[in-house]
Amino acid sequence: MKYQHIVLGVTGGIAAYKSPDLVRRLREQGAKVRVVMTQGAQQFVTPLTFQAVSGHSVHTTLLDAQAESAFGHIDLARWADGVLIAPASAQALAKLAQGFADDLLSTLCLATQAPIYVAPAMNQQMWKAPATQRNCQLLRQHGVTFLGPAEGAQACGETGAGRMLEPLDIVEQLSHTTSASPLANKKVLITAGPTREDIDPVRFISNRSSGRMGYAVAQAAHALGAEVQLISGPVNLTPPAGVSRIDVYSAQDMLNAVQQQLSGTDIFIATAAVADYRPAQQAAQKIKKNNTQASLELEPTPDILAWVSAQTKAPFTVGFAAETHDVAEYAKRKLAHKKLDMIAANQVGLADQGFDSAYNALTLFWQNPNGLIEEHALALTDKFHLAQQLLESVMQRYQKKILTISAR
Ligand code: PMT
C-alpha cells in the first residue's frame, strides 16, 4: 500500500455500513487509519464501531476543545499522506467542490496537502444530476481522484450508477493510482463501439465492434487520473467506474456528440468502428420483399476523426486503423491523410483478436520532427493491458508535442 497514514472520511449514506470493512482492509495492507465521521454518517454507523476496527478514537467535531488540544484538524491534515472519503455523499462532494469548511472533514480537506480520493455513493438520479456532475468536474480539475461509483441495484430499489465500490475494489484502486497521476487535469475524449446506419425501421448497416477496445482505453485513462468522456455506439458493456458515457446510434450522432464534447479536450482517441457508408435514403416503412434483385444506394458518412484533427485548436489526435491486409501501408496512409498525431493499427479478420475479442495487438505509427514515420509494436494481450501500453506511448508523444509548441 502506497499510503501509510490514511484519513478515512465517512459521510452520511447507507453505504457507510461497508466502511468498517474498508478500515479493516486498509489496515491489512499496512496502513494506519484515522476515521473522521460527519453528523450524517453517525446516523448510519456508530463511532464506536470505527474505534474498534481502527484502534483509535474517532473524530467527529471541528470545535472540540479536548480533541483540538490532542489531535485537531490541522494535525490530522498534516498527519495524512492520503485522504479517502468513502462513502462520499452528494452533499460531501458539493461541499468539497465549493471549498466549504463547516465541519471537521471539509476543513481538513482544505488544510491537507495529501491527495484526496472520493468513493461516491448516492441514488442514481442524484449522481446523474447536472449539479452533481458539475461538482465532480470541478473536483477532478482540483486534482481529486474518483474511485467509482459502480453500477447496479441500489438500496433505494433503483438501478444505475451510484453504488459505492466494494471495499476490496477501493483498496485495489488506491494501490494502483499514484499521487502524481500522469493524466491528472487532462480531458480525454474517446469514441468506442460500432455505429448503426438505418436502412428502414427494422434493418441497419453495422459491424462487429463490441466496444471492448474503447472501454479498455477509457478505463486505463481514468486510472491514470484523466477526466474521461466516452462516446459510445450501441454495445453491451457497462462504462468503467468514474467514466462518463454518452450513448449514440449513428455516425452523424457520434459526430454531433464529439462536436459538443470537444471543447477542453487534451487527447482524442478514436477507437470506434464508425460505418463508412450509410443508405442514401432511409425508408420510412419496412421495405417489402419481392422476388427481384434489390440494391441499396450508399453515401459516405461524415469522417469524425478528420473533423477533429482539422480544428484549429485540435487536441492530440489518435486514430485507429482496422485492416485485413497491408496493415502498415494503409495505416500510414490514414496517419498522413487524416493529419493525425498517432495511429494505432490492428489486423482484423483473425480469430480471437481485434473485433469482438478480449485480446488485441497494435502497431503504433507517428511522424517524428524530421518527417520520418516511427513505429512501435504492442504484442497480443488482453485489451486493458494493451490500452495501458498504448496510453504510455500517447503520453510520451503528447508531452513532446506540448514541449515543442511551448518552445516556439
Ligand atoms: O470494439 P472491439 O470489438 O473491441 O474492436 C476493436 C476495434 C477493432 C473496432 C478497434 O481496435 C479499431 O480498430 N477501431 C477502428 C475501426 C475502424 O473503423 O477503422 P477504420 O480504419 O475504418 O477507420 C480509421 C479511423 O477513422 C478510426 O479511428 C475510426 O474511428 C475513424 N473514422 C472512420 C470513419 C468515420 N466516418 N469516422 C471516423 O472517425
Side-chain angles (χ1 to χ4, degrees):
M1 166 62 63
K2 179 175 156 42
Y3 300 110
Q4 296 299 304
H5 289 177
I6 296 179
V7 166
L8 174 66
V10 184
T11 70
I14 181 63
Y17 83 90
K18 295 181 184 174
S19 302
D21 185 37
L22 178 56
V23 175
R24 199 169 61 84
R25 305 283 180 189
L26 290 167
R27 292 188 73 195
E28 277 171 7
Q29 298 293 315
K32 293 190 171 65
V33 183
R34 297 288 165 96
V35 179
V36 172
M37 296 181 79
T38 62
Q39 290 282 323
Q42 294 167 61
Q43 307 295 314
F44 291 92
V45 190
T46 66
L48 206 56
T49 310
F50 284 103
Q51 184 171 322
V53 289
S54 70
H56 292 278
S57 52
V58 171
H59 305 265
T60 52
T61 41
L62 178 58
L63 301 173
D64 175 338
Q66 211 184 351
E68 283 291 308
S69 61
F71 211 72
H73 65 279
I74 298 293
D75 286 329
L76 267 178
R78 287 189 189 134
W79 174 84
D81 60 5
V83 174
L84 167 64
I85 305 179
S89 63
Q91 160 88 344
L93 295 178
K95 282 170 61 169
L96 209 56
Q98 298 307 321
F100 274 50
D102 62 349
D103 63 7
L104 178 57
L105 183 59
S106 54
T107 308
L108 89 83
C109 284
L110 278 184
T112 194
Q113 291 187 349
I116 299 176
Y117 294 82
V118 292
M122 66 198 73
N123 162 272
Q124 51 98 20
Q125 284 297 351
M126 291 171 71
W127 172 249
K128 280 198 293 204
T132 305
Q133 287 305 312
R134 254 197 325 273
N135 289 332
C136 294
Q137 203 170 346
L138 261 181
L139 288 171
R140 287 192 186 98
Q141 284 166 9
H142 298 168
V144 171
T145 305
F146 278 70
L147 310 177
E151 280 210 5
Q154 300 198 303
C156 55
E158 294 179 17
T159 303
R163 278 167 62 116
M164 187 171 93
L165 287 186
E166 293 303 321
L168 267 180
D169 294 331
I170 293 177
V171 173
E172 158 91 2
Q173 290 204 20
L174 256 190
S175 313
H176 285 108
T177 20
T178 65
S179 58
S181 301
L183 287 179
N185 305 324
K186 299 283 175 254
K187 179 175 170 187
V188 178
L189 183 62
I190 297 166
T191 62
T195 63
R196 289 182 183 170
E197 312 301 329
D198 283 348
I199 298 169
D200 67 15
V202 296
R203 305 180 181 95
F204 55 80
I205 298 172
S206 192
N207 58 62
R208 296 175 193 279
S209 170
S210 64
R212 285 185 195 175
M213 191 69 241
Y215 278 55
V217 175
Q219 188 181 355
H222 173 68
L224 291 167
E227 176 198 338
V228 183
Q229 179 67 65
L230 182 61
I231 297 177
S232 175
V235 297
N236 208 4
L237 298 174
T238 305
V243 168
S244 63
R245 177 176 75 176
I246 296 173
D247 292 317
V248 295
Y249 187 82
S250 65
Q252 185 61 51
D253 295 341
M254 192 171 269
L255 175 66
N256 295 345
V258 166
Q259 289 176 333
Q260 272 170 17
Q261 293 298 320
L262 194 69
S263 155
T265 295
D266 300 286
I267 299 172
F268 175 66
I269 306 181
T271 69
V274 185
D276 287 320
Y277 290 94
R278 63 187 172 201
Q281 258 124 37
Q282 282 178 23
Q285 294 181 325
K286 183 181 171 192
I287 299 169
K288 298 307 292 175
K289 177 183 164 190
N290 60 33
N291 288 330
T292 59
Q293 271 197 334
S295 61
L296 202 56
E297 193 190 341
L298 300 176
E299 65 180 16
T301 55
D303 193 317
I304 302 162
L305 185 58
W307 181 85
V308 170
S309 73
Q311 299 309 297
T312 30
K313 284 191 178 164
F316 187 90
T317 305
V318 182
F320 268 62
E323 309 291 348
T324 53
H325 58 286
D326 299 322
V327 179
E329 186 51 38
Y330 286 127
K332 285 189 227 173
R333 276 192 217 170
K334 282 178 187 167
L335 176 73
H337 179 63
K338 300 201 187 197
K339 298 189 171 53
L340 307 176
D341 293 298
M342 183 184 276
I343 194 152
N346 48 186
Q347 181 147 17
V348 291
L350 302 176
D352 215 9
Q353 173 176 343
F355 274 114
D356 200 14
S357 160
Y359 302 94
N360 205 5
L362 293 171
T363 308
L364 313 181
F365 297 95
W366 65 91
Q367 195 177 39
N368 71 19
N370 301 324
L372 298 173
I373 304 292
E374 294 192 28
E375 64 179 85
H376 177 45
L378 305 177
L380 184 70
T381 184
D382 66 89
K383 285 180 175 169
F384 181 66
H385 287 105
L386 194 65
Q388 287 180 315
Q389 295 172 62
L390 165 68
L391 286 171
E392 276 294 315
S393 288
V394 168
M395 286 187 302
Q396 283 171 17
R397 302 301 320 150
Y398 170 72
Q399 288 301 342
K400 286 202 174 135
K401 185 176 176 183
I402 296 291
L403 287 176
T404 316
I405 291 170
S406 53
R408 278 184 198 145

